[in-house]
Amino acid sequence: MYRKDGTQPEFFLIHPGGPFWMKKNGGAWSIPKGLVDADEELLDAAIREFKEETGINPAGPYRSLGSAKTKSGKSIHAWVFAGSWNPESGIKSNYIDIEWPPKSGKILSIPEADRAEWMSFDKASVMINSGQLPLLKRAYELLS
């Protein structure tokens, strides 16, 4: 999601929740994303995941940014769309269960995202997970 601040776009990024990400900042932020369910179209999955992780109901039109591969080899497909969000309202993320500490047998319920922020392209380029940087660059090129 983006908005225009004057002539330059700002990008909406989320920070992952939970104890592993608690003290990580630069390179930890992400676009809202997730797994595609069986028989689900890629764009439909992106819309569903965005809403699940933020509580925001996205609305098109959507412009494809193609895909990018993460270091682990997973493909991320993304779209860009204009939207609005007031930082004072926060986000309403869904919760997931993780084992924490690892191999402890203890289950902890955490939000998939614990906060969100509008960022300039320059700031987002530093804060976003490096595997998603090509998608951010494509969005910036489309919108500038």
Side-chain angles (χ1 to χ4, degrees), residues 9-83:
E10 289 185 318
F11 298 94
F12 176 84
L13 295 180
I14 59 172
H15 185 270
F20 179 80
W21 296 102
M22 189 180 317
K23 295 181 181 177
K24 295 178 178 12
N25 204 29
W29 291 71
S30 177
I31 60 173
K33 61 177 181 24
L35 299 175
V36 179
D37 291 337
D39 300 324
E40 187 176 33
E41 296 293 323
L42 293 174
L43 178 57
D44 293 336
I47 293 167
R48 175 183 52 76
E49 287 287 343
F50 194 98
K51 182 165 177 140
E52 286 177 1
E53 294 184 10
T54 67
I56 300 166
N57 197 12
Y62 304 98
R63 295 170 71 182
S64 177
L65 299 174
S67 65
K69 283 213 185 258
T70 65
K71 289 178 186 177
S72 67
K74 292 180 182 177
S75 290
I76 298 173
H77 301 268
W79 289 259
V80 66
F81 64 96

Side-chain angles (χ1 to χ4, degrees), residues 74-126:
K74 292 180 182 177
S75 290
I76 298 173
H77 301 268
W79 289 259
V80 66
F81 64 96
S84 62
W85 169 73
N86 180 349
E88 292 177 11
S89 66
I91 57 171
K92 295 172 184 71
S93 179
N94 61 325
Y95 279 69
I96 57 171
D97 291 336
I98 64 166
E99 183 179 14
W100 193 264
K103 300 181 183 177
S104 67
K106 296 177 183 176
I107 302 300
L108 183 64
S109 184
I110 64 165
E112 279 199 76
D114 60 12
R115 62 188 184 273
E117 188 177 319
W118 287 113
M119 297 183 190
S120 68
F121 174 75
D122 289 342
K123 182 175 182 180
S125 295
V126 173

